[in-house]
Amino acid sequence: GRLWAWADRFPVEPRGVDRLAASLFVNSVDPGARLMAMFTAYFDASGNAKDQPFVIVSGYIANYLQWKAFEQEWKAAHDMYGVSMPFHMADFVAACETQTYKNQRNARLDYVELAKNPARAEAFIKQLSGVQIAYVHCGISCIVSMDTYKQANSIFDLRDVIPPYALGARMCIQRVQQWGQTYGVVDPPELIFEEGDFEQGKFTQLMVDEGSLLPIYKKKIDFAGLQGADQYAWEQARFLKIQKKGEGLAPRPIFQWILQAIPKLHTHAPLDFLLRLCEAKGIDPKTGVQSRSRA
């Protein structure tokens, strides 16, 4: 099928397109002329620290050619089913599962139209899932339980230094570094996060303070990798919320398909880890006073 017949469309130039270019510039006319990395990781978040039980940061790592194919197949799937980009999983599911969604002022009318044919809507999401399975190298995610986070925050003023999103994103970057060490990736991957997620400024400052890899923020509409990360994060959030309610343990079939077919490095933040992190950061108990020591 079309998902697999892509290699001939991406011949490598004699100069290797300057190390195959970076996925950051996947839409560039001449990516080989840009300064770039071999691999790129795209991340998105689901849930929030206000009224959701989890904050989840998830995404994928792939190389330039994989992301190039991903972009083309992602767009082709949208064109095939008459759907506009960017893809947004929460809106798509709401259109398919909630009758009142179509009456919302900001409803995605393309999703509403597709949802009128459930079999076609299911085929569309399976096609998008197939693109992820075919072209990414590894899935990365971190789950921050707000119950656990609030426990730590009741002892240390953790939130002032590392809010939940920054914690999840920071741990994802550590998993990217672990992936690189495992596979002998010499150059650090580009780290692309969706622009606009809550408290990104504190996340960036945390990375600067730690001398770690710096995140880059981009709009979801411009990168299919961010849209794939959106689905990945949403699927994890939905499964965890259902599991927390005790309504069932098995992931829904599409999510199970993704989990089984894509190698993954998932992590979470248990209480003992959060307490050690606060101590390493020099956060005094119940004061929020931070010393210069670093984790």
Side-chain angles (χ1 to χ4, degrees):
R2 62 178 290 113
L3 285 177
W4 308 104
W6 60 275
D8 291 341
R9 285 180 280 163
F10 306 108
V12 178
E13 297 176 12
R15 59 191 178 98
V17 250
D18 294 344
R19 298 165 49 216
L20 295 183
S23 298
L24 175 60
F25 308 121
V26 71
N27 292 321
S28 174
V29 174
D30 184 15
R34 311 284 293 268
L35 180 62
M36 43 211 153
M38 178 74 76
F39 289 91
T40 295
Y42 289 102
F43 291 101
D44 196 9
S46 185
N48 62 65
K50 293 182 178 180
D51 56 10
Q52 296 290 324
F54 302 97
V55 171
I56 299 153
V57 183
S58 298
Y60 295 121
I61 302 174
N63 65 37
Y64 169 71
L65 291 182
Q66 289 170 317
W67 283 128
K68 191 73 175 177
F70 189 105
E71 288 276 344
Q72 292 201 2
E73 297 298 342
W74 194 264
K75 183 179 184 304
H78 280 74
D79 291 343
M80 182 186 303
Y81 289 92
V83 179
S84 301
M85 294 200 296
F87 176 75
H88 193 255
M89 186 66 171
D91 282 328
F92 174 76
V93 173
C96 293
E97 297 183 355
T98 308
Q99 286 294 324
T100 57
Y101 174 80
K102 61 186 177 184
N103 300 322
Q104 295 180 12
R105 182 172 56 85
N106 60 345
R108 285 279 300 263
L109 298 182
D110 51 346
Y111 291 167
V112 172
E113 185 63 28
L114 183 59
K116 293 177 181 178
N117 186 334
R120 186 169 169 80
E122 183 178 7
F124 171 65
I125 197 64
K126 284 183 176 178
Q127 182 77 1
L128 295 188
S129 301
V131 174
Q132 293 166 62
I133 290 168
Y135 295 119
V136 303
H137 192 281
C138 184
I140 303 284
S141 70
C142 177
I143 299 164
V144 179
S145 165
M146 289 310 302
D147 288 344
T148 303
Y149 186 91
K150 288 172 182 176
Q151 277 187 276
N153 198 57
S154 69
I155 302 170
F156 295 90
D157 193 6
L158 174 63
R159 204 184 191 301
D160 186 56
V161 180
I162 311 177
Y165 170 81
L167 174 65
R170 175 189 191 265
M171 294 183 74
C172 281
I173 289 181
Q174 290 177 334
R175 281 293 183 267
V176 170
Q177 292 170 325
Q178 177 187 345
W179 168 86
Q181 291 168 1
T182 300
Y183 290 99
V185 177
V186 177
D187 295 326
E190 298 280 0
L191 302 168
I192 314 296
F193 291 78
E194 187 196 1
E195 183 179 286
D197 280 329
F198 191 57
E199 294 185 299
Q200 287 184 336
K202 287 189 176 181
F203 170 44
T204 299
Q205 187 58 52
L206 179 65
M207 295 296 94
V208 171
D209 290 345
E210 295 185 348
S212 184
L213 300 173
L214 294 181
I216 300 167
Y217 303 111
K218 292 293 179 181
K219 296 182 185 299
K220 185 175 292 182
I221 193 171
D222 294 326
F223 296 94
L226 290 175
Q227 298 169 43
D230 176 280
Q231 180 185 347
Y232 195 35
W234 185 93
E235 289 282 8
Q236 292 182 67
R238 175 160 171 155
F239 170 68
L240 289 169
K241 283 188 282 189
I242 291 174
Q243 188 182 54
K244 186 177 177 66
K245 293 178 181 177
E247 296 177 2
L249 298 177
R252 72 193 199 114
I254 288 177
F255 183 36
Q256 195 166 30
W257 189 31
I258 291 174
L259 285 178
Q260 292 175 349
I262 301 175
K264 54 191 176 292
L265 287 171
H266 291 176
T267 188
H268 69 112
L271 182 60
D272 59 344
F273 170 83
L274 293 178
L275 297 180
R276 289 197 306 271
L277 179 62
C278 290
E279 292 171 352
K281 287 288 180 185
I283 305 172
D284 294 333
K286 299 182 180 179
T287 67
V289 177
Q290 184 181 9
S291 76
R292 296 194 179 195
S293 64
R294 297 176 179 173

